[in-house]
Amino acid sequence: MKLLMKAFITPTWAALLLASGVVAAQGYPTRPIRLIVPFTAGGGTDILARALGQHFTATMKQNVIVDNRAGGNTIIGSELAANAAPDGHTLLVQINNLTALPALSPGKKVVSVDSFAPVTLVAVLPHILVVPRSVPANSVKELIALAKAAPKKYTYASAGIGSPIHLGGALFASMTGVDLVHVPYKGASEYTTAVLGAHVTMTFGSVPTALPHIRSGVLRGLAATTAARIKVLPELPTLAESGLAGYEMSSWYGLFAPAGTPPAIVNLLHSETARAIATKAVMDRLPDFELIANTPAAFAAFLRKDAELTVKLIARSGATSD
């Protein structure tokens, strides 16, 4: 009798749960959507979030408000999103920082991938090692020589501890044996201002952030951080080609909902993102990004692998949250 009841109840409850998820998605969204960006305005994360937000506003018939909540190595904005009601009305656009936070703070309770329902990997973006024109280095080899001759004199700016730029710079220092000083900022606009004003020696800026200043002549691009040369500057060598065999760093951009968000809403958000990146309007706004929009399951698998690689990278680079 118990076995018969179990056989009956299990599929019945499964059907009811599925139906409740469908109902949740059918009524969604019922009010404006808040899209949290844990960085200041102007960087790659902000640019991508605003492109998605504009598309969602048009297709989902509700305003999407991009909310820049910088600080705390992205913890402030990420925790705000993680603690929101899991109804799809508060979302987060995050990057590599999310998988780095636990590895940077072992033994501490911090916001992590487990705090969210992964929606989709929206895009990836290459970076460029750049220096101000006042730095007398025209190649990676020359920059390394300068830094080795003056330990702790040369600095690199990032968008915060645990950001791809921080880890990329720490890996650069580890692989070359140079002693660089890391200077963290709240976001792209701040670290770009610092390098433009020659307050720091270098940064590993994202392509949309660095490229205009390279083309204007204010900054000098020395190398791409990716395994292959980037399309927009094919003449620029990679760091691997410049003597750092195996060096590779890029930013990934993901869309997240709070943990516990109904799967039907997560799937709807994934579908809308996939629609968005296929439109000319979004592609034109994000020409430097490799647009992806994989499934929630594929994104979850990607995050597990990225977390494993990040732990190894942090151990190799010596980066910490302190």
Side-chain angles (χ1 to χ4, degrees):
M1 184 67 174
K2 289 181 179 179
L3 288 175
L4 180 61
M5 288 179 66
K6 183 177 180 181
F8 175 76
I9 291 172
T10 300
T12 301
W13 276 107
L16 288 172
L17 289 172
L18 178 61
S20 66
V22 171
V23 170
Q26 286 176 345
Y28 170 80
T30 60
R31 60 182 187 275
I33 296 171
R34 183 185 190 189
L35 193 55
I36 295 176
V37 173
F39 298 99
T40 54
T45 315
D46 182 69
I47 292 168
L48 181 141
R50 292 182 187 279
L52 282 184
Q54 186 173 15
H55 175 86
F56 288 171
T57 296
T59 61
M60 300 177 75
K61 309 305 180 185
Q62 286 286 351
N63 287 333
V64 176
I65 302 164
V66 175
D67 187 358
N68 296 91
R69 293 295 183 112
N73 305 327
T74 73
I75 291 175
I76 292 174
S78 298
E79 285 188 340
L80 194 62
N83 293 328
D87 58 11
H89 291 91
T90 299
L91 306 172
L92 175 73
V93 177
Q94 243 294 27
I95 63 171
N96 311 52
N97 294 60
L98 189 60
T99 50
L101 288 173
L104 287 166
S105 304
K108 297 180 182 178
K109 186 177 181 180
V110 295
V111 67
S112 69
V113 170
D114 293 337
S115 308
F116 298 95
V119 176
T120 185
L121 173 64
V122 184
V124 294
L125 184 66
H127 289 245
I128 302 171
L129 169 57
V130 294
V131 297
R133 282 287 171 180
S134 58
V135 174
N138 292 296
S139 67
V140 173
K141 183 178 180 180
E142 291 179 1
L143 180 63
I144 293 171
L146 288 172
K148 282 188 173 181
K152 293 189 180 296
K153 175 183 177 181
Y154 288 84
T155 57
Y156 73 97
S158 83
I161 296 172
S163 67
I165 301 174
H166 171 212
L167 298 181
L171 181 60
F172 176 85
S174 174
M175 292 180 71
T176 59
V178 299
D179 194 354
L180 301 176
V181 176
H182 173 228
V183 184
Y185 292 86
K186 286 187 176 182
S189 58
E190 286 81 3
Y191 80 70
T192 302
T193 298
V195 73
L196 288 173
H199 303 302
V200 292
T201 311
M202 68 189 85
T203 192
F204 296 76
S206 65
V207 169
T209 301
L211 189 59
H213 304 297
I214 294 173
R215 287 178 170 164
S216 71
V218 179
L219 298 180
R220 183 184 301 118
L222 299 186
T225 66
T226 42
R229 295 192 180 197
I230 54 179
K231 294 182 293 183
V232 290
L233 285 175
E235 71 279 8
L236 191 71
T238 66
L239 278 161
E241 291 175 317
S242 303
L244 278 68
Y247 187 102
E248 184 176 357
M249 184 273 288
S250 60
S251 292
W252 56 257
Y253 297 79
L255 181 64
F256 297 85
T261 300
I265 291 178
V266 171
N267 291 331
L268 177 61
L269 287 166
H270 163 249
S271 298
E272 286 296 335
T273 304
R275 287 178 61 191
I277 69 165
T279 65
K280 186 177 185 301
V282 171
M283 288 189 286
D284 286 348
R285 290 186 67 177
L286 306 173
D288 303 316
F289 292 76
E290 179 188 347
L291 301 172
I292 298 171
N294 60 359
T295 65
F299 186 30
F302 169 89
L303 290 168
R304 287 192 295 271
K305 183 177 179 180
D306 187 73
E308 293 172 1
L309 294 174
T310 300
V311 168
K312 295 177 182 177
L313 174 58
I314 289 172
R316 181 178 179 183
S317 69
T320 67
S321 60
D322 300 325

